[in-house]
Amino acid sequence: MDLVRIEDVHKSYGHLEVLKGVSFSVAKGDVQCIVGPSGSGKSTLLRCINHLETINRGRIWVEDDLIGYRQNGRILHEMSDSELCHQRSQIGMVFQSFNLFAHRTSLENVIEGPIQVRSTPKTQAIEKARALLAQVGMDRFENYYPRQLSGGQQQRVAIARALAMEPKVVLFDEPTSALDPERVGEVLDVMCELAKTGMTMIVVTHEIGFAREVGSTLIFMDQGVVVEKGKPRDVIERSNNERAQAFFSKIL
Amino acid sequence: MPENSTHQDFEIRPLPHYERWISALLLVAVLGGFVYVLAGAQIKWSTIPQYATSTIILSGIGGTMYLTIGSMALGLLLGLIVAIARGSQNSVVSNAAAAYVWLFRGIPALVLVLLWFNIALVVPNVWIPFIFYGSTNDIVTPFVAALLGLALTESAFMSEIVRAGIISVDPGQIEAAKSIGLSPWKITKRVILPQTLKVVIPPTGNEFIAMLKYSSIAYVVAYQELASQSAKIYTQNLQVIEVLLAATIWYVALTTIFSILQHWIEKALRDTSGGSFARKMMRNIAPGRF
Ligand SMILES: Nc1ncnc2c1ncn2[C@@H]1O[C@H](COP(=O)(O)OP(=O)(O)O)[C@@H](O)[C@H]1O
Ligand SMILES: [Mg+2]
C-alpha cells in the first residue's frame, strides 16, 4: 500500500521553477532515498510534503490525507492553521542543521510536541521521551542543552523529537551533511535501526552507502525532475541516464 | 635568532605612554578650573543636603519611580503586542502595527503628554461600556496624562527592540516547531519569545534608565515627580541652583543604582543560555506555569 503519494508537483519561487512535475509514491515501511546535485529541488520537495512550502500545481497525499487542502470536486480549499498543524504533527522532519530548541534540554525538546500538540499528560510524555532517547542512545544526556552536545548527538535528539509525535512518515533532509565525518556513523546507525522497525522514511542524502544498504528505492533528481527511480543498486550502477552516471561517478 | 630564545635574560622596557600624562594634565586643568568657578560661585552648599532630604523632594522621587516603572511596564506590554502584531501573517494587523510605530515614534513625548492632558477640551466625557461613564477630567489626571504620553512613545521604541529580538531567533527552530505541529501562537510563546530575552533585556535596561530621567517632562503637567517638586521649592525661595543640584544628586544616584542592577542581570544572562535564564526568572515569578 502506498503511504505517500506525490502527483505532478510543481513549485516555483517567483520565476524560478524549482520542481517541474514530480511524481512518485512511497509504500508503507519503505525507505525512499533521494539523491541529486545541490539545487536540484530535494529540500523543496521534502518541505512541500509537510506543507512548509505551498505548491503551485499537483497534489500530495499522506495515507488518505490530501496535504494542505480539502478537495471539493475541482476546488482545493486552503486549510486553516489548526488543520495544517494537525497534518504536520503526523509527519516527522529531521533537518540538516538539527534545529533543536536551543533553550530546552534534550528531554524538553522531545516532550514539547506530545504535551503542546497532543495534550499528552506530562508524566506519560516524559516516560515515552526517555524511551525514545534510549532508542537513539541519548538517554544519558536528557538534561543537556543542545549547545552542550556534539552535532551527531543533537541530530539523534532531533530524531527522537520527530518520533515522539508517532509520525506516519519521517522526512530526513541531509541529516548527516553538517556532521564531522566521525559522527556520521552514529546517526546513520540510528536511522538504520529505525528503518528496521518498519518506519516509513524519505531520506535526502549524499551517503550512497546508506542508500544502497538501507534504501528500498532510490530516486535521482536533477533540475526539478525525477530522472531515475528504482532499486538503489540499479540506479547507482546500471543507470543509462547521462546525468545520473556523471553524478554517481563523481561521488563514488 | 637562536632557537628557544626566551626573554629571561633581558629586561623588558614598556612603551612609554606620554599621551596619558598629557591627557591627565589636561583633565586636571579642566577640573581645577571648574572647581575654581564653583568655589567662587554664590552657592549655599550647606543647604543642598537639606533640600535633598526634604519631604517635597523625597515625594518627588516616589513620583519619578512610579511614573518610570508604570511607563516602562505599559510601554513594554504595548511594545510586545505591537512587535508580535508586526510579524502577523494578517496583513491588516501587521500594517496597523507598522503605522502605530511610525506615528508614536514621530510625536515628541512632551507634545503627547500635553495632548493627553488637554484631551478634555475636545472630548469632555468618556464612556467605556459597563465600566465607566464620566467626565474626562476625572480620569486624565496629571499622572495618567504623563503615563500615557511616555508609555505610548516608549512602546514604539520597545516594539522595535522586541522585533530585533524576534528576528534574531534561528528560523530553523521555527521550522522545526512547525514540523511537530505547534500552532503559530504556541511557536511565538514557547519558541520565539523566550529566546528573544537575551537580545531584548540589555537595551530594555537602557530604556529604563533613560526613562528615569525622561519622566521629568511630566513637569509640564505638574505631576509630582522629582523635577516638578524641585520647581515647587525654587519658585518660592528662588534657590534655583541649590534645589536643582539636590535633584541632580538623586537622579544620578537612581541611574547608578539601576545601572548596577542592569549590569547584574546582564551578567546572569551571559552566564546561562537566554532561554534557561528566562525560564528560571519566569518560574520565580509564576511557579508551575512554565
Ligand atoms: N525560499 C526560497 N526562495 C527562492 N529560491 C529558493 C528558496 N528555497 C530554495 N530556492 C531555490 O530553489 C532551488 C532548489 O533548492 P533546494 O530545494 O534547496 O535544492 P537541494 O536541496 O536539492 O539542494 C535552488 O536553486 C534554490 O536557490
Ligand atoms: Mg537541500
Side-chain angles (χ1 to χ4, degrees):
Chain A
M1 192 198 94
D2 288 336
L3 186 89
V4 179
R5 280 181 296 150
I6 294 166
E7 180 190 279
D8 192 31
V9 166
H10 290 250
K11 169 70 189 175
S12 304
Y13 292 110
H15 291 296
L16 177 69
E17 193 172 30
V18 175
L19 298 177
K20 303 167 185 166
V22 173
S23 304
F24 64 90
S25 335
V26 183
K28 195 169 161 86
D30 266 8
V31 176
Q32 171 72 66
C33 292
I34 302 176
V35 297
S38 172
S40 56
K42 307 179 299 293
S43 298
T44 305
L45 176 64
L46 286 195
R47 293 160 52 78
C48 289
I49 296 176
N50 64 1
H51 209 70
L52 285 176
E53 300 286 354
T54 54
I55 58 182
N56 302 108
R57 211 170 102 191
R59 287 176 298 178
I60 298 172
W61 288 268
V62 171
E63 226 159 43
D64 294 324
D65 299 330
L66 180 62
I67 296 298
Y69 302 92
R70 268 175 295 108
Q71 186 168 6
N72 192 351
R74 290 200 46 77
I75 301 171
L76 295 178
H77 296 276
E78 272 183 19
M79 276 186 172
S80 68
D81 277 337
S82 64
E83 290 169 300
L84 271 181
C85 287
H86 179 70
Q87 277 192 342
R88 285 196 186 118
S89 74
Q90 302 180 328
I91 301 168
M93 187 150 191
V94 175
F95 302 84
Q96 182 174 347
S97 47
F98 330 130
N99 297 350
L100 289 179
F101 305 131
H103 59 308
R104 298 193 187 280
T105 62
S106 302
L107 187 73
E108 290 168 336
N109 264 279
V110 180
I111 62 176
E112 180 72 9
I115 291 179
Q116 296 300 325
V117 179
R118 294 275 160 75
S119 308
T120 309
K122 192 163 181 185
T123 47
Q124 201 179 317
I126 290 176
E127 197 178 321
K128 170 116 174 291
R130 291 208 167 111
L132 284 169
L133 286 172
Q135 185 184 330
V136 299
M138 287 297 292
D139 40 338
R140 288 193 301 119
F141 299 93
E142 66 169 55
N143 291 321
Y144 283 57
Y145 285 93
R147 71 195 139 83
Q148 300 169 311
L149 300 173
S150 74
Q153 292 172 325
Q154 288 186 53
Q155 194 61 297
R156 287 186 280 152
V157 174
I159 293 172
R161 175 176 65 180
L163 295 180
M165 300 305 288
E166 301 180 334
K168 294 172 179 168
V169 52
V170 183
L171 316 173
F172 293 84
D173 191 1
E174 302 198 28
T176 58
S177 294
L179 300 179
D180 294 333
E182 77 270 23
R183 292 290 187 172
V184 169
E186 66 191 52
V187 172
L188 291 181
D189 287 345
V190 165
M191 291 168 62
C192 196
E193 290 304 312
L194 183 59
K196 283 184 196 154
T197 67
M199 176 61 77
T200 311
M201 297 159 58
I202 302 180
V203 185
V204 171
T205 185
H206 291 303
E207 296 294 330
I208 296 301
F210 177 87
R212 197 202 311 255
E213 304 305 325
V214 184
S216 323
T217 47
L218 177 62
I219 280 176
F220 172 73
M221 266 183 81
D222 192 20
Q223 296 177 11
V225 293
V226 172
V227 175
E228 280 284 359
K229 176 175 179 4
K231 290 273 159 237
R233 224 166 271 278
D234 297 340
V235 174
I236 296 167
E237 288 159 18
R238 287 188 276 280
S239 172
N240 295 322
N241 184 281
E242 253 175 61
R243 284 185 282 175
Q245 282 171 357
F247 177 79
F248 289 114
S249 71
K250 242 181 269 165
I251 69 170
L252 283 179
Chain B
M1 228 207 250
E3 266 181 48
N4 296 327
S5 84
T6 66
H7 288 317
Q8 259 173 23
D9 307 329
F10 303 94
E11 182 201 357
I12 295 175
R13 284 267 166 91
L15 198 63
H17 290 291
Y18 301 118
E19 75 285 358
R20 288 188 194 167
W21 288 103
I22 294 167
S23 46
L25 278 175
L26 273 172
L27 186 65
V28 168
V30 170
L31 285 178
F34 194 61
V35 168
Y36 179 79
V37 171
L38 278 184
Q42 291 161 348
I43 297 176
K44 297 190 184 113
W45 295 100
S46 61
T47 61
I48 294 177
Q50 290 167 23
Y51 291 129
T53 53
S54 66
T55 46
I56 297 189
I57 292 287
L58 290 180
S59 74
I61 293 169
T64 292
M65 290 306 301
Y66 265 135
L67 190 55
T68 302
I69 292 172
S71 310
M72 281 306 294
L74 187 57
L76 194 64
L77 182 69
L78 291 174
L80 187 65
I81 293 170
V82 172
I84 293 172
R86 191 93 189 257
S88 168
Q89 288 170 2
N90 181 334
S91 56
V92 178
V93 171
S94 64
N95 283 319
Y100 177 99
V101 173
W102 165 77
L103 183 66
F104 287 111
R105 218 160 46 164
I107 307 176
L110 179 70
V111 174
L112 200 54
V113 169
L114 284 172
L115 278 173
W116 277 113
F117 192 60
N118 294 297
I119 193 87
L121 296 176
V122 289
V123 186
N125 290 303
V126 183
W127 178 53
I128 307 169
F130 310 116
I131 296 175
F132 182 86
Y133 180 80
S135 147
T136 306
N137 271 329
D138 292 345
I139 300 190
V140 186
T141 59
F143 176 73
V144 170
L147 179 75
L148 288 176
L150 290 170
L152 288 175
T153 306
E154 183 58 32
S155 69
F157 289 92
M158 276 313 306
S159 83
E160 291 293 286
I161 290 172
V162 174
R163 200 164 71 96
I166 290 175
I167 291 169
S168 77
V169 175
D170 167 24
Q173 288 180 42
I174 297 168
E175 295 226 307
K178 282 185 186 168
S179 80
I180 58 172
L182 283 181
S183 66
W185 169 239
K186 281 200 166 151
I187 293 174
T188 303
K189 190 177 99 180
R190 299 189 53 86
V191 180
I192 299 176
L193 289 184
Q195 296 195 70
T196 61
L197 282 180
K198 213 171 186 157
V199 174
V200 167
I201 282 181
T204 303
N206 256 357
E207 291 290 305
F208 187 92
I209 287 165
M211 183 64 85
L212 274 173
K213 298 170 295 167
Y214 217 44
S215 62
S216 60
I217 66 169
Y219 171 80
V220 296
V221 293
Y223 172 66
Q224 309 190 337
E225 45 64 59
L226 195 43
S228 65
Q229 293 297 83
S230 308
K232 246 182 221 168
I233 303 178
Y234 68 65
T235 47
Q236 295 221 325
N237 68 6
L238 303 179
Q239 306 273 295
V240 180
I241 296 294
E242 287 81 354
V243 177
L244 285 180
L245 283 179
T248 301
I249 289 169
W250 276 115
Y251 276 120
V252 173
L254 289 178
T255 51
T256 306
I257 291 168
F258 283 98
S259 301
I260 293 169
L261 217 66
Q262 181 189 22
H263 178 77
W264 279 348
I265 293 175
E266 283 177 25
K267 191 171 172 318
L269 204 58
R270 269 197 301 279
D271 295 347
T272 59
S273 81
S276 51
F277 170 80
R279 267 178 310 143
K280 260 177 238 151
M281 282 202 333
M282 300 290 196
R283 275 198 192 113
N284 291 337
I285 296 166
R289 294 208 45 222
F290 291 87

